[in-house]
């Protein structure tokens, strides 16, 4: 279908995401940035704020470009106003995160917003304002609306009783006729209101091809059998917001009534949007006492909720269908139920609102450290805090342990001891990739439901403190700590817990100055090797990977895929592999079976672009949740994946399950740009430009003029001189636009990149060199040199060389030259670094032996 084809072109089946709801859930975490105040709701006018606003406007400019199709272009002045409006919704970091996030999302997969009929009656102006704002900045949600209250009023006037079974409206021919009129009226009402507000909108019909669900039981109620998305794609690509009603049609043309919640969720299964949001008049889902249910972790809560007598009718159907939808989507997927007033907050901040429904995972409870894998628990805590535990932490904890609440995947934990008879929250942590999955909220809900009293402490500069203020019933602050409590009353009791909390020794080692490196984190040494699978082993990168894996003391190559060499010995083609291995026919349909049967801990996907998404989709719901490292470009723009550049993103890679390996050119350009962008003392004017030359191995093994020795003889060939994917990749990941012109030369491997950059800040050659040398100090694979690096100096080596620093003092035109091996640091080396870091091992295992050889 058109929508799937167009969307896949850029997003490759982007998983549904709903809300990055939680802050870092650590009791001794990183300090607040100086721009945050009161949980990030306000901003000051300091120079750093102006810099942040400028960068936010840059991202907004990318979004507004998407709105040109509708003839609505956002001026620079309007951009500034919009960014400052958003800064009152979320913090600088949040707003920049989401503007950058959405600026690189294909508009077809931005969001599905389901609107309840009550919202159309009671909150139409607010809804229209929010939707118009989104289109104004180039974001086009797919809107689907209901009409329940309107239907009930119309049926009442017609003297027809409103009847339901299993939460579905029984639909007779008379009821269906009324439904058709109501949905057409409400659809046009919303479209007209959007048009009058300056937004382009269009009704889209015949989206839901359906079959009759059970005519005897429900009447003319449909079950969606196919999504016809051509109309949606055409609408969005024309610059219009598509507005759908939930009527289905059979192949024979019979109109059917479909529950709007069901229709929206069926649509979400098909297109996998970045956001799934339900808007209603109650701003969420409520329990039997009328209290808002902030988080529903279906893995934990589904059976309980379905057993409650008050979960019935529409609520029961909604929860059931949400689970059916999320069961088909990745673990990180979720759904937000909120109100039109909170729509922008839901989209542009971490706070979220209403009810957050997530696929979730089980929370296991232990009462003894011997019941837990301490190696994994240690890795979880240190990953979340970004620094190591004190050496005797577990030994001391074993004498005081009360309960451990631990997520099934070891991504979130709460550790309780008992101090003076009251539960003390000794550790509360979630890994970077667990943010937004609601695991922290889930564990917190368990803690509060099972303990009437609780106290804990947090460093005064901890960014989670605003969240703690919301959860605590009281707090007090001293020089180093804020002590929080819940359910504890009485001056004497509070005095006792404060004294106890402040007397406890620190449990995390305090970081030394400088960047956090692999050496500062306590590393995992597995008791048995991690088992690795590889797809694409016979390509240039795959052959290097097999060699590096063979040198790794803690990896075992257990499974290798090839469609053309099925059953043949792997070692016949790749000498560094185990003799017993044979090439397997691994497909998206059977990769889960291979993962389970071979106990695969991690997969390397060294496949051509646009091939990996079906494999990833098959593994997203697998219970073993193996680590995936995609070496293609398919997931580099996907915010659910970590960008695998270890020297810069090491803390995010640690513990991640989905890693997008950078491109070869992109690696060099990204490493060249980041020191300039991260240095607050340097400002860049205009857009940096890169002239790149690569050996013909970068064009792959498939014959083409770019890897034909005859065509390349005495020649250099420019290609994809506009809009190369690595240009988009670096602009996206670095947060600053670049220009890039690639060329292929008549040698096999190696890359040279010449960067031309206009500096606003005057620097000498030596000063520019020192900026880079200081930034990459302690990074063994990054060589910074005053001399011009040559391609041959890095061929068949794991390093990147950055040098040749030159600045024209009159024009402030700077030149930086970067070289690397496209098959190693540009692909295989970096992939192995990513695996090592993600699994908690020493980063250069399998690599450092060859580094020592290079030195000799």
């Amino acid at each position: 279908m058109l929508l799937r084809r167009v969307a896949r072109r850029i997003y490759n089946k982007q998983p549904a995401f709903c809300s990055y709801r939680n802050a870092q859930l650590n009791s001794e975490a990183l300090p607040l940035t100086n721009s945050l105040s009161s949980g990030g709701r306000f901003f000051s006018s300091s120079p750093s704020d102006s810099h942040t606003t400028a960068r936010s406007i840059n991202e907004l400019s990318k979004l507004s470009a998407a709105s040109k199709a509708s003839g609505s272009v956002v001026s620079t002045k309007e951009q500034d106003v919009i960014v400052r409006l958003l800064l009152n919704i979320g913090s600088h970091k949040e707003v920049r995160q989401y503007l950058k996030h959405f600026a690189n999302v294909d508009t077809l997969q931005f969001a599905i917003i389901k609107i309840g009929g009550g919202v159309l009656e009671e909150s139409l102006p607010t809804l229209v304002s929010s939707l118009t704002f989104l289109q104004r900045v180039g974001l086009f949600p797919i809107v689907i609306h209901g009409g329940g209250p309107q239907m009930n009023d119309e049926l009442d006037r017609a003297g027809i009783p409103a009847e339901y079974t299993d939460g579905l409206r029984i639909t007779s021919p008379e009821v269906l006729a009324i439904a058709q009129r109501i949905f057409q009226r409400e659809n046009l009402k919303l479209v007209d209101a959007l048009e009058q507000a300056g937004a382009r909108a269009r009704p889209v019909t015949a989206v839901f091809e359906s079959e009759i669900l059970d005519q005897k039981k429900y009447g003319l109620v449909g079950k969606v059998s196919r999504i016809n998305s051509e109309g949606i794609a055409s609408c969005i690509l024309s610059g219009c917001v598509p507005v759908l009603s939930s009527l289905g049609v059979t192949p024979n043309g019979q109109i059917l009534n479909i529950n709007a919640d069901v229709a929206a969720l069926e649509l979400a299964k098909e297109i996998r949007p970045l956001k799934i949001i339900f808007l209603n008049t109650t701003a969420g889902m409520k329990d039997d006492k009328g209290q808002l249910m902030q988080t529903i972790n279906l893995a934990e809560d589904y059976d309980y909720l379905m057993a409650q007598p008050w979960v019935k009718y529409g609520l029961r159907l909604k929860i059931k269908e949400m689970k059916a939808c999320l069961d088909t989507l990745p673990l990180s997927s979720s759904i937000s139920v909120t109100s039109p007033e909170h729509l922008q907050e839901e989209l542009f901040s971490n706070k979220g609102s209403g009810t957050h429904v997530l696929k979730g995972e089980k929370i296991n409870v232990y009462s003894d450290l011997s019941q837990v894998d301490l190696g994994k628990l240690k890795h979880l805590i240190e990953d979340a805090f970004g620094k190591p535990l004190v050496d005797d932490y577990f030994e001391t904890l074993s004498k005081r342990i009360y309960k451990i609440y631990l997520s099934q995947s070891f991504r979130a934990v709460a550790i309780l001891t008992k101090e003076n008879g009251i539960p003390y929250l000794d550790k509360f942590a979630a890994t970077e990739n667990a943010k937004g999955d609601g695991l922290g909220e889930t564990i917190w809900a368990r803690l509060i439901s099972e303990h009437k009293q609780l106290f804990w402490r947090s460093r005064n500069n901890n960014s989670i403190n605003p969240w703690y203020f919301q959860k605590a019933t009281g707090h007090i602050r001293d020089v180093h700590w804020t002590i929080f409590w819940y359910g504890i009353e009485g001056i004497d009791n509070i005095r006792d817990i404060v004294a106890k909390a402040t007397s406890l020794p620190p449990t995390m080692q305090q970081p030394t100055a400088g960047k956090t490196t692999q050496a500062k984190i306590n590393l995992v040494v597995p008791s048995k090797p991690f088992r690795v699978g590889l797809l694409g082993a016979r390509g240039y990168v795959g052959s290097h990977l097999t060699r590096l894996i063979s040198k790794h003391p803690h990896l075992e190559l257990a499974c290798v895929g090839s469609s053309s060499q099925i059953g043949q010995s792997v070692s016949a083609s790749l000498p560094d592999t185990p003799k017993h291995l044979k090439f397997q026919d691994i497909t998206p349909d059977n990769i889960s079976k291979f993962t389970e049967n071979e106990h695969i801990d991690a997969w390397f996907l060294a496949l051509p672009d646009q091939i990996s998404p079906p494999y990833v989709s098959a593994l997203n719901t697998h219970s073993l949740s193996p680590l995936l490292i995609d070496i293609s470009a398919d997931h580099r723009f996907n915010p659910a994946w970590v960008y695998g550049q270890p020297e810069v993103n090491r803390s995010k890679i640690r513990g991640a399950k989905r890693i997008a390996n950078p491109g070869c050119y992109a690696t060099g350009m990204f490493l060249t740009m980041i020191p300039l962008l991260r240095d607050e003392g340097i400002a860049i004017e205009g857009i940096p430009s890169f002239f790149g030359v690569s050996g013909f191995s970068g064009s792959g093994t498939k014959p083409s003029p770019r890897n034909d020795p005859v065509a390349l003889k005495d020649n250099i060939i420019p290609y994809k001189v506009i809009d190369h994917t690595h240009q988009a990749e670096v602009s996206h990941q670095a947060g600053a636009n670049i220009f890039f012109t690639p060329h292929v030369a008549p040698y096999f491997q190696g890359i040279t990149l010449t960067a031309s950059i206009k500096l606003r800040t005057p620097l000498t050659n030596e000063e520019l060199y020192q900026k880079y040398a200081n930034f990459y100090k302690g990074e063994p694979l990054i060589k910074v040199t005053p001399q011009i690096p040559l391609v041959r100096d890095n061929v068949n080596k794991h390093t990147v060389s950055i040098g040749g620093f030159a600045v024209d003092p009159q024009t402030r035109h700077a030149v930086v030259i970067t070289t690397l091996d496209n098959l190693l640091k540009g692909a295989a080396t970096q992939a192995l670094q990513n695996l090592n870091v993600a699994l908690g091992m020493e980063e250069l295992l399998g690599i450092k032996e060859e580094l020592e050889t290079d030195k000799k």
Side-chain angles (χ1 to χ4, degrees):
M1 289 173 287
L2 178 61
L3 178 60
R4 289 292 288 277
R5 290 198 301 270
V6 177
R8 190 181 296 120
R9 185 176 66 226
I10 292 180
Y11 234 76
N12 297 302
K13 298 194 77 172
Q14 171 70 24
F17 245 64
C18 194
S19 171
Y20 300 92
R21 178 172 299 259
N22 298 319
Q24 178 86 14
L25 299 177
N26 303 331
S27 295
E28 299 174 60
L30 301 174
L32 284 164
T33 64
N34 58 13
S35 62
L36 294 183
S37 174
S38 300
R41 290 190 62 88
F42 304 102
F43 64 96
S44 65
S45 57
S46 67
S48 62
D49 297 334
S50 300
H51 179 64
T52 300
T53 302
R55 295 183 70 176
S56 299
I57 291 174
N58 179 50
E59 302 302 337
L60 186 61
S61 298
K62 300 177 190 177
L63 282 175
S64 64
S67 66
K68 290 181 181 178
S70 65
S72 173
V73 182
V74 184
S75 69
T76 301
K77 184 175 180 180
E78 289 174 307
Q79 291 172 8
D80 183 71
V81 171
I82 290 169
V83 167
R84 291 187 180 278
L85 171 65
L86 292 175
L87 288 171
N88 282 299
I89 296 171
S91 70
H92 288 175
K93 184 177 180 181
E94 291 167 358
V95 171
R96 279 196 55 228
Q97 172 190 0
Y98 287 107
L99 286 175
K100 178 179 175 181
H101 201 45
F102 297 145
N104 294 281
V105 173
D106 189 293
T107 52
L108 298 173
Q109 290 189 293
F110 164 53
I112 289 175
I113 299 178
K114 185 269 173 179
I115 300 168
V119 171
L120 296 177
E121 280 195 336
E122 301 177 18
S123 303
L124 184 61
T126 303
L127 172 67
V128 168
S129 175
S130 293
L131 294 178
T132 302
F133 172 85
L134 295 178
Q135 195 201 43
R136 189 73 176 134
V137 295
L139 296 172
F140 295 83
I142 300 171
V143 174
I144 178 168
H145 67 83
Q150 296 89 331
M151 279 286 297
N152 290 340
D153 290 345
E154 192 75 16
L155 289 172
D156 186 56
R157 283 193 289 271
I160 301 173
E163 299 179 289
Y164 296 87
T165 297
D166 301 331
L168 296 172
R169 185 186 296 275
I170 296 176
T171 306
S172 65
E174 294 79 13
V175 171
L176 182 61
I178 292 173
Q180 286 182 264
R181 293 199 304 272
I182 293 292
F183 282 125
Q184 182 182 41
R185 184 189 75 198
E186 297 301 310
N187 188 286
L188 292 176
K189 180 172 78 172
L190 178 54
V191 169
D192 289 345
L194 287 168
E195 291 276 351
Q196 290 172 14
R200 295 182 62 191
R202 183 189 296 174
V204 181
T205 59
V207 172
F208 303 103
E209 187 173 308
S210 308
E211 57 191 48
I212 294 177
L213 180 60
D214 184 336
Q215 189 164 4
K216 190 172 183 180
K217 187 174 184 180
Y218 304 110
L220 296 174
V221 172
K223 176 183 178 182
V224 177
S225 55
R226 184 172 179 268
I227 300 293
N228 297 315
S229 52
E230 288 82 358
I232 300 174
S234 173
C235 182
I236 293 179
L237 294 176
S238 298
C240 297
V241 174
V243 181
L244 288 60
S245 58
S246 58
L247 289 175
V249 60
T250 68
N252 297 325
Q254 171 64 56
I255 301 297
L256 297 174
N257 185 23
I258 302 175
N259 179 277
D261 290 347
V262 174
L265 293 167
E266 289 295 328
L267 187 61
K269 290 179 189 177
E270 174 69 13
I271 69 168
R272 296 172 173 247
L274 187 66
K275 296 268 186 176
I276 308 174
I277 299 177
F278 280 46
L279 300 180
N280 63 17
T281 55
T282 58
M285 299 164 66
K286 297 187 176 181
D287 60 19
D288 56 326
K289 298 176 182 177
Q291 298 296 313
L292 183 71
M293 296 184 285
Q294 290 187 341
T295 302
I296 298 175
N297 179 338
L298 291 171
E300 281 272 299
D301 303 331
Y302 181 76
D303 291 339
Y304 168 80
L305 287 172
M306 299 307 278
Q308 302 307 303
W310 52 270
V311 178
K312 54 187 177 182
Y313 310 137
L315 177 61
R316 187 178 189 86
L317 176 67
K318 190 189 300 284
I319 295 173
K320 180 180 176 182
E321 292 298 324
M322 285 181 171
K323 182 178 187 301
C325 175
L326 292 174
D327 279 348
T328 70
L329 299 175
L331 182 63
S332 58
S333 305
S334 59
I335 300 166
S336 286
V337 186
T338 186
S339 65
E341 292 81 2
H342 295 293
L343 178 58
Q344 291 176 13
E345 182 179 293
E346 183 62 51
L347 290 171
F348 293 103
S349 79
N350 290 343
K351 295 187 289 292
S353 60
T355 301
H356 192 208
V357 182
L358 49 128
K359 189 173 185 176
E361 58 187 81
K362 289 285 187 182
I363 305 299
N364 297 316
V365 183
Y366 306 98
S367 57
D368 194 290
L369 286 178
S370 64
Q371 300 169 313
V372 179
D373 185 325
L374 292 185
K376 288 185 177 180
L377 180 58
K378 183 172 184 288
H379 178 54
L380 185 165
I381 296 170
E382 293 182 338
D383 177 27
F385 285 95
K387 49 189 172 182
L389 288 161
V390 295
D391 293 337
D392 63 346
Y393 175 72
F394 287 117
E395 180 183 350
T396 303
L397 182 66
S398 65
K399 303 168 185 175
R400 303 163 44 231
I401 194 70
Y402 172 48
K403 285 186 179 180
I404 303 170
Y405 292 80
L406 183 61
S407 70
Q408 191 172 13
S409 65
F410 277 78
R411 295 191 301 149
V413 67
I415 299 176
L416 300 183
T417 64
K418 268 200 172 179
E419 310 296 340
N420 301 334
I422 300 175
Y424 170 73
L425 182 60
D426 187 83
K427 278 285 168 287
F428 190 43
T431 60
E432 181 76 19
N433 68 316
K435 290 181 182 179
D437 287 359
L439 288 178
E441 287 280 5
T442 299
I443 291 179
W444 188 267
R446 284 285 297 272
L447 292 178
I448 297 306
S449 68
E450 296 180 12
H451 304 286
K452 294 181 179 180
Q453 294 181 319
L454 190 69
F455 74 107
W456 65 99
R457 72 182 184 185
S458 175
R459 294 275 182 189
N460 289 333
N461 61 358
N462 193 341
S463 59
I464 195 181
N465 286 347
W467 189 80
Y468 282 153
F469 288 132
Q470 296 176 19
K471 302 300 181 184
T473 56
H475 69 275
I476 193 168
R477 179 171 175 161
D478 72 0
V479 176
H480 301 292
W481 302 98
T482 301
I483 289 65
F484 297 91
W485 61 88
Y486 173 88
I488 300 174
E489 298 178 350
I491 295 296
D492 291 340
N493 292 330
I494 292 171
R495 185 185 297 113
D496 289 345
I497 64 162
V498 169
K500 186 62 181 179
T502 54
S503 70
L504 293 170
T507 55
M508 308 300 300
Q509 296 181 32
Q510 295 307 301
T512 57
K515 294 198 305 180
T516 300
T517 65
Q518 183 74 4
K520 294 179 183 177
I521 300 295
N522 290 340
L523 302 173
V524 170
V525 179
S527 57
K528 60 181 181 179
F530 291 107
R531 291 174 62 82
V532 175
L534 173 60
L535 299 182
R538 299 184 68 248
Y540 294 137
V541 174
S543 64
H544 279 290
L545 265 175
T546 57
R547 186 188 79 256
L548 295 176
I549 292 170
S550 72
K551 297 175 180 293
H552 199 295
H554 304 306
L555 294 184
E556 177 184 355
L557 186 60
C559 197
V560 182
S562 171
S563 58
S564 61
Q565 304 287 322
I566 301 168
Q568 297 184 30
S569 171
V570 177
S571 61
S573 303
L574 302 166
D576 295 305
T577 56
K579 301 296 183 185
H580 68 277
L581 268 185
K582 296 186 183 301
F583 285 111
Q584 303 288 342
D585 183 19
I586 303 174
T587 68
D589 294 330
N590 64 24
I591 191 170
S592 292
K593 184 177 180 181
F594 275 105
T595 301
E596 191 166 345
N597 291 347
E598 298 294 337
H599 305 287
I600 300 298
D601 297 296
W603 284 99
F604 286 112
L605 306 178
L607 298 167
D609 291 349
Q610 301 182 357
I611 302 299
S612 69
Y615 291 91
V616 172
S617 295
L619 290 170
N620 273 338
T621 55
H622 197 281
S623 59
L624 291 179
S625 188
L627 166 64
L628 302 184
I629 298 177
D630 189 357
I631 299 171
S632 78
D634 290 344
H635 295 93
R636 294 173 192 159
F637 299 88
N638 186 332
W641 288 58
V642 174
Y643 190 58
Q645 210 305 298
E647 284 77 14
V648 177
N649 283 345
R650 191 171 281 123
S651 63
K652 294 181 180 179
I653 296 167
R654 201 171 287 122
K657 286 289 190 179
R658 300 290 182 267
I659 299 172
N661 218 58
C664 53
Y665 276 125
T667 296
M669 293 189 290
F670 183 81
L671 290 169
T672 304
M673 288 295 298
I674 286 298
L676 301 177
L677 297 173
R678 298 283 175 91
D679 192 320
E680 293 184 357
I682 297 179
I684 296 174
E685 288 185 8
I687 300 177
S689 179
F690 285 82
F691 182 95
V693 181
S694 172
F696 59 82
S697 62
S699 299
T701 57
K702 184 177 180 180
S704 77
R706 286 189 279 130
N707 57 20
D708 181 354
V710 175
L712 286 168
K713 187 175 187 299
D714 300 324
N715 200 9
I716 182 171
I717 302 176
Y719 67 98
K720 203 71 186 307
V721 294
I722 297 292
D723 199 29
H724 191 284
T725 184
H726 290 183
Q727 174 180 308
E729 177 184 335
V730 175
S731 297
H732 170 59
Q733 295 294 346
N737 288 331
I738 65 163
F739 291 136
F740 171 50
T741 309
H743 304 72
V744 63
Y747 59 85
F748 182 68
Q749 68 193 99
I751 283 174
T752 183
L753 290 154
T754 300
S756 295
I757 304 162
K758 179 67 176 294
L759 299 176
R760 183 176 300 165
T761 309
L763 292 173
T764 66
N765 296 356
E766 176 64 22
E767 287 171 337
L768 186 58
Y769 160 70
Q770 286 298 333
K771 294 282 188 184
Y772 278 81
N774 291 338
F775 188 88
Y776 288 119
K777 184 179 180 180
E779 295 293 350
L781 300 190
I782 311 294
K783 295 181 178 180
V784 179
T785 172
Q787 286 75 42
I788 294 176
L790 302 177
V791 172
R792 63 175 176 235
D793 294 338
N794 273 318
V795 170
N796 285 316
K797 294 182 180 178
H798 300 285
T799 48
V800 174
S801 293
I802 304 175
F805 303 98
V807 183
D808 184 329
Q810 302 301 318
T811 64
R812 299 189 304 279
H813 171 221
V815 173
V816 181
I817 297 169
T818 302
T819 66
L820 69 155
D821 190 308
N822 54 297
L823 301 179
L824 290 174
K825 182 56 178 170
T829 301
Q830 201 151 232
L832 190 57
Q833 281 181 273
N834 286 325
L835 179 138
N836 285 336
V837 175
L839 295 178
M841 295 185 289
E842 183 184 344
E843 186 173 316
L844 297 184
L845 286 178
I847 300 167
K848 61 183 181 180
E849 294 81 5
E850 294 187 353
L851 282 179
E852 293 302 319
T853 302
D854 291 344
K855 291 178 182 178
K856 296 174 183 177

